[in-house]
Amino acid sequence: MKTGGKNALVVVSYVVFSVVLFHHLWAAPQTRMLADNNQDQVFFEWVLTHAARLFTHGDTPFFTDQLNAPLGVNLMANTSILGLALPLAPITLLFGAPVTFAVISTIAPAGTAIAWFFMLLRCGVVRTRTAAYLGALFCGFGPAMISQTTGHPNIAGQFMIPLILWAVFRMREPGDTVRKGLVLAALVVYQCFINEEVLFLAAFALLVFLLVFLRPGEMLPAARAALPALGVTALVAGVVMAYPLWHQFTGPQAYHGLPDFVHGFSADLYGFSNFSRRSILGDIPRIEKLGGPTEENTFFGWPLLLLLPAAAASLWRHRGARALFVTAVVFSLLSLGPIVRYKGEETTWHGPWRYLVDLPLFDSVVPTRVALVVTPLVGVLLAILVDRFVVPPPVTRPEPVEEAAFASEAPATDAVADTDGTDEGKARDKAGDKARDTFQDDDEEPLPYAGRWLWAAALAMALLPLVPTPQPTNDRPLAPVFFSSGMWREHVPDQATVVVIPGGWWEGLDAMRWAVDSDIDFKIAGGYFLAPDPNDPEHKAMFGPTYPPTWSLLGQVGNDGVVPQLGPEHVAQARTDLAYWKADRIILADSHGNSDAVRQTADQLFGPGEHIADVWVWKVQH
């Protein structure tokens, strides 16, 4: 089979794996939701719908007052995934945000694996497709990535990172400096509009890797070779991102750092040797206290945990493998957070993250996500292991390719085309040969077949228990007929502000779902987002809105079902809160468990409501 056919089979297989992973969601995306994390799915469906409104209503991409009225939400400071939402807006407009969410969830692991496969081959990290295929499979479908697919397509979708690394590694090659800088700038800008946290962690990991990989005498020449193109990248990306980043960090509803309790979301030391809940050997009761289903970023399982040091020891003379392993250890330690946890309990040990947590940018990183760096590092290390110790080396000398940035081996057979014969092409090939000569182990001897079988068996024992199971789903809560039928348009003015009561976390999510069903044609108070905490002098982030006294009162009634006797002061406070919200309509769904008690309380505060279909509506008189 020709090279193109083999590569096509690789791509198709990754896509099939991803579709199988989400087949419960694809069975009925309009009526099913992820069972383990529907709140983030609600948020992403909301931002996908908002992105589509950019084309139909001319909304701004970086801020919205349709959510958290009247203050609004800084979408650059939240995860608005414009890099995915805007290109896929036609799907959202035609089929709805739930279908688009299923699409981006499916693209995330498959696209990541595909990008790593071609990067491993194109950069000459491995010689064979088998090695690249297995390593890329782990990069896209490893336990951490499967965990992130639980409602975090922006984090699981790391398909731009291999491309960015490829562009960085090309900086040392001869060629057009401006073009190389522009290519990297375009990739960096696009990744910024998918997820900045992943980009930041990738850059941090690359820095640590290069410090370990490069010999002292190589650092200055490498920097001199790369700086001109990097300067072009910094200039272009800086200009393009200047306004979005200004808006993110200093614009309306900007915040500075995550809430203090988020810094406690670190990897559990005990989790490294356990299997994640989505792995075929996952034991949910055993790991329930070690982290939620969306952040099982270090659950490699004890067989792989034993294999990796053995692999590192066997590959220690391979500079790339050695640097990968050391970098993986560094980021594993950092992921333990400021205070190390073991079996769900804090210990007296302090983690190295304590020295970084208060630094700019680092204060916006969730510690456990630092471990996301480890998955691709392990994936590439496994690819090198397979290439060296499992797959027999190619008999013929491979064709030269672009510089093998951190590999010690020749590039994969059938991976690239012949040299173009130009002076630039010959110079590139010469540079690539020089790089391979630098990293080549001169005394390398082929491993006997018995040894290859032993390594293959060890890999199978380490990786087969990590095979993921499909993401489970639940029935999507039905929206009130008042909204799903479009009846609301007869009773709610266009772009009116709607306050959903009794008010609380789940009511905020309900309001967002109903708004999505209505194409966000009305504003809602509250919701699910990150915004500055008005009670924090440093303006750190908080999840969701502040709750005025009236919302808190109705929320208590919604919880206990007891109707209080209210006085004039409560009515006056309700008027103050309605004025703060600039509310036009107050809505209570019949489906709420204590709806009758909430209705009676609301009648005392706002006057008699009107029952329409399956909701109660109070019109606010201005």
Side-chain angles (χ1 to χ4, degrees), residues 280-328:
I280 57 174
L281 294 185
D283 184 352
I284 296 179
R286 178 185 178 91
I287 64 173
E288 194 61 48
K289 293 183 179 181
L290 306 185
T294 63
E295 300 292 349
E296 293 172 353
N297 302 319
T298 58
F299 287 62
F300 297 104
W302 63 266
L304 181 58
L305 207 60
L306 294 177
L307 176 69
L308 289 176
S314 301
L315 291 167
W316 197 252
R317 297 191 62 185
H318 186 297
R319 275 209 290 160
R322 183 169 66 246
L324 287 166
F325 182 75
V326 172
T327 307

Side-chain angles (χ1 to χ4, degrees), residues 328-353:
V329 171
V330 168
F331 278 82
S332 295
L333 293 174
L334 290 174
S335 72
L336 296 175
I339 300 177
V340 178
R341 293 188 303 120
Y342 184 73
K343 293 187 176 181
E345 302 293 335
E346 289 188 350
T347 68
T348 57
W349 307 332
H350 291 282
W353 189 252

Side-chain angles (χ1 to χ4, degrees), residues 98-124:
V99 173
T100 312
F101 178 81
V103 170
I104 63 175
S105 296
T106 305
I107 289 174
T112 302
I114 291 168
W116 276 109
F117 172 79
F118 286 105
M119 186 271 188
L120 291 173
L121 289 179
R122 190 62 177 169
C123 287

Side-chain angles (χ1 to χ4, degrees), residues 402-422:
E402 295 171 347
E403 179 176 351
F406 59 88
S408 68
E409 299 301 330
T413 54
D414 299 328
V416 297
D418 293 339
T419 179
D420 54 19
T422 63

Side-chain angles (χ1 to χ4, degrees), residues 14 17-22 34 36-37 105-106 108-110 112-113 137-153 155-158 276-280 292-299 372 375 466-472:
Y14 289 146
F17 295 157
S18 197
V19 171
V20 171
L21 180 66
F22 288 102
L34 295 175
D36 291 335
N37 184 17
S105 296
T106 305
T112 302
L137 185 66
F138 190 87
C139 290
F141 293 88
M145 305 304 290
I146 298 301
S147 178
Q148 292 297 330
T149 63
T150 311
H152 295 163
I155 298 176
Q158 298 182 16
S276 70
R277 71 187 64 214
R278 294 279 78 84
S279 299
I280 57 174
T294 63
E295 300 292 349
E296 293 172 353
N297 302 319
T298 58
F299 287 62
L372 290 171
T375 288
L466 304 180
V467 172
T469 57
Q471 285 285 3

Side-chain angles (χ1 to χ4, degrees), residues 543-607:
F543 288 92
T546 56
Y547 290 90
T550 301
W551 240 356
S552 298
L553 171 65
L554 291 168
Q556 183 63 41
V557 175
N559 288 332
D560 57 31
V562 177
V563 179
Q565 294 299 314
L566 305 180
E569 68 278 10
H570 295 98
V571 175
Q573 181 63 58
R575 291 174 180 169
T576 299
D577 294 339
L578 292 174
Y580 162 75
W581 283 316
K582 299 179 181 178
D584 296 291
R585 297 291 185 272
I586 303 164
I587 293 181
L588 167 67
D590 290 349
S591 57
H592 191 279
N594 289 317
S595 62
D596 189 58
V598 175
R599 179 191 61 78
Q600 293 181 49
T601 306
D603 283 345
Q604 296 184 61
L605 294 170
F606 314 123

Side-chain angles (χ1 to χ4, degrees), residues 373-460:
V373 169
V374 180
T375 288
L377 293 171
V378 170
V380 177
L381 184 62
L382 292 175
I384 296 174
L385 178 68
V386 171
D387 194 59
R388 292 289 299 276
F389 296 151
V390 177
V391 180
V395 176
T396 59
R397 187 180 186 276
E399 297 291 342
V401 295
E402 295 171 347
E403 179 176 351
F406 59 88
S408 68
E409 299 301 330
T413 54
D414 299 328
V416 297
D418 293 339
T419 179
D420 54 19
T422 63
D423 291 340
E424 182 179 326
K426 292 176 180 178
R428 185 171 61 244
D429 296 336
K430 183 177 180 181
D433 288 338
K434 182 179 180 181
R436 287 189 291 275
D437 290 341
T438 300
F439 305 139
Q440 180 73 36
D441 294 335
D442 294 331
D443 59 349
E444 176 192 352
E445 296 182 1
L447 196 67
Y449 277 98
R452 294 182 183 279
W453 278 106
L454 285 175
W455 275 111
L459 277 166

